[in-house]
Amino acid sequence: MPPNPQTQPIFGYKLNVASLLEQHARGRKTFTRLAVRKGKFVVQAPNLPGCNLSKVNLWEIGLAKACLKKSNLSEANFMRADLNGADLSEANLWKIQLCKANLAGANLSGAFLGGANLQGAQLSCANLSRADLRGANLADADLRGAILDQTIMPDGSLHA
């Protein structure tokens, strides 16, 4: 889906991991906000590069357009999460649960997804270049338009 010219992503939304976990435990699901600046809609997404969310349960969390570059999300539960357009480049996503998650347009370039469960995940137009998917479950995943340049596929073969 092409970006709406009236909606521009703005990173830098201040949120730390402890606050995110606390608010999610209290029932908050969506952390991406829509604001109006100078008469235009802007998307304010959490900026958490390099964070450690290993083994956390963030089922159905909304982190659309969030920056999680180089983060550790290994063995975390992100089932049915909204990570549409999120930056997960070079992230450690080993054995992450992403069943039915929305990763459309996400940047997963260079990410390690070994053993990840992506069953039924929406990966259309996602950038999976140089990602490692060895042992990942891609059953019923939507990969239409995904970039698979130099991607290591679940069977260990290299997609050219």
Side-chain angles (χ1 to χ4, degrees):
M1 177 181 200
N4 180 337
Q6 294 293 312
T7 306
Q8 307 287 322
I10 303 291
F11 291 111
Y13 161 24
K14 299 202 187 241
L15 180 73
N16 62 37
V17 171
S19 178
L20 178 126
L21 294 173
E22 179 185 326
Q23 290 178 49
H24 187 269
R26 289 183 181 174
R28 183 174 178 189
K29 296 289 186 186
T30 304
F31 291 85
T32 300
R33 306 186 283 203
L34 191 60
V36 178
R37 289 215 178 119
K38 296 182 182 178
K40 291 187 179 181
F41 290 107
V42 293
V43 175
Q44 296 177 319
N47 189 11
L48 297 165
C51 70
N52 184 5
L53 292 170
S54 178
K55 299 182 181 179
V56 299
N57 183 7
L58 295 173
W59 188 71
E60 290 187 342
I61 194 165
L63 289 170
K65 302 196 184 313
C67 179
L68 297 164
K69 182 177 184 165
K70 295 185 178 181
S71 293
N72 180 8
L73 282 69
S74 62
E75 300 183 272
N77 180 359
F78 276 73
M79 290 176 62
R80 297 182 185 267
D82 182 7
L83 295 162
N84 178 31
D87 184 355
L88 292 155
S89 58
E90 301 178 49
N92 178 3
L93 306 173
W94 178 71
K95 290 192 174 183
I96 190 170
Q97 293 296 319
L98 286 164
C99 293
K100 298 186 179 178
N102 180 4
L103 292 150
N107 183 359
L108 294 153
S109 62
F112 179 63
L113 290 134
N117 189 350
L118 294 153
Q119 186 174 2
Q122 177 58 255
L123 290 158
S124 60
C125 300
N127 182 354
L128 290 157
S129 61
R130 299 178 326 281
D132 187 339
L133 295 166
R134 279 180 281 197
N137 179 357
L138 290 172
D140 299 320
D142 182 354
L143 290 161
R144 287 179 289 179
I147 301 168
L148 299 170
D149 185 39
Q150 302 298 309
T151 302
I152 301 173
M153 301 308 287
D155 65 0
S157 64
L158 184 65
H159 191 279

